[in-house]
Amino acid sequence: MAASLAAGCARQLPPPPVALAVQPVSELDAYTYGGPRGIAQIVATPAAVSVIRAAPQSAYTLDAGDKLRVVVFGQDGLTNSYSVDAGGSITMPLIGAVKARGLTTTELSAAIAARLRQGFIRDPAVAVEIETYRPFFILGEVTYPGQYPFVANMTVETAVAIAGGYSPRAFREQVTITRTTHGETVRSTVPVTTRVQPGDTINVSERWF
């Protein structure tokens, strides 16, 4: 009888919340975009799930390997596609090399316009857009490691799929991403739902069991 009553009471108790450790705000994202670092907590209950989300991403900055379309309105000789070279610059007729590394497309437009005003064009109107992003790299336990064209809004899972999927020995929960931002390089272990940036190097490690 006592055992039956105890079992009945146990069935009436609400299930306790389950705490799952996740990392939606990785150290890598915090380094690149600002905001808090460390492990966030997801508390899962039958009624609700609360998630701490990452801060909004900042504007994309240019670096070597990006291919740009520069339009100087009314100047067909200057309007063309330009690649950001290893030194972080593009080279245009009349004005020569213009630094692009670390700038947004809007900032580069302003820099080109400022150079053109220096004795070349009285009131230049310049627009810059990204024609092709610099590639990303994926190494380790994937079918076809190597260099691949970046696709906007891609995650680590997307990158793995582009590289032919995981190898049989791959650890599929987390990867290591190496990223250079504003001239500094940071390496962080992140979940596979993390957004990839152009120029990132993704390393998929081997599982140990």
Side-chain angles (χ1 to χ4, degrees):
M1 179 69 73
S4 299
L5 289 173
C9 292
R11 284 195 295 270
Q12 293 175 5
L13 292 174
V18 179
L20 304 175
V22 296
Q23 197 171 13
V25 185
S26 69
E27 292 184 1
L28 190 66
D29 287 337
Y31 173 85
T32 305
Y33 307 120
R37 299 188 182 190
I39 302 290
Q41 295 291 323
I42 290 181
V43 179
T45 67
V49 173
S50 61
V51 179
I52 300 176
R53 297 185 180 274
Q57 295 186 359
S58 59
Y60 176 73
T61 55
L62 304 169
D63 208 336
D66 287 325
K67 187 174 182 181
L68 311 175
R69 179 70 178 173
V70 179
V71 177
V72 183
F73 295 96
Q75 301 292 328
D76 292 342
L78 296 174
T79 297
N80 209 337
S81 295
Y82 300 91
S83 294
V84 182
D85 61 27
S89 299
I90 63 171
T91 302
M92 298 180 61
L94 296 181
I95 60 176
V98 181
K99 179 186 175 183
R101 174 175 287 148
L103 302 182
T104 65
T105 53
T106 301
E107 291 169 339
L108 181 58
S109 298
I112 294 170
R115 293 282 291 275
L116 289 172
R117 286 192 195 95
Q118 298 174 2
F120 300 104
I121 301 174
R122 177 174 297 179
D123 190 18
V126 181
V128 177
E129 63 180 14
I130 298 172
E131 195 168 83
T132 307
Y133 289 97
R134 58 188 180 270
F136 72 94
F137 305 85
I138 185 164
L139 309 173
E141 297 299 325
V142 292
T143 305
Y144 303 110
Q147 171 184 313
Y148 293 92
F150 175 79
V151 179
N153 299 318
M154 70 187 304
T155 64
V156 171
E157 290 174 316
T158 309
V160 170
I162 290 173
Y166 292 106
S167 76
R169 299 178 300 177
F171 180 61
R172 305 187 180 200
E173 302 300 322
Q174 293 179 324
V175 300
T176 300
I177 291 183
T178 303
R179 179 177 299 170
T180 300
T181 304
H182 306 301
E184 296 185 36
T185 300
V186 62
R187 181 180 291 108
S188 182
T189 300
V190 298
V192 295
T193 54
T194 299
R195 289 278 186 93
V196 177
Q197 293 291 310
D200 281 356
T201 298
I202 305 166
N203 193 345
V204 180
S205 62
E206 181 180 354
R207 59 186 171 85
W208 295 100
F209 53 88

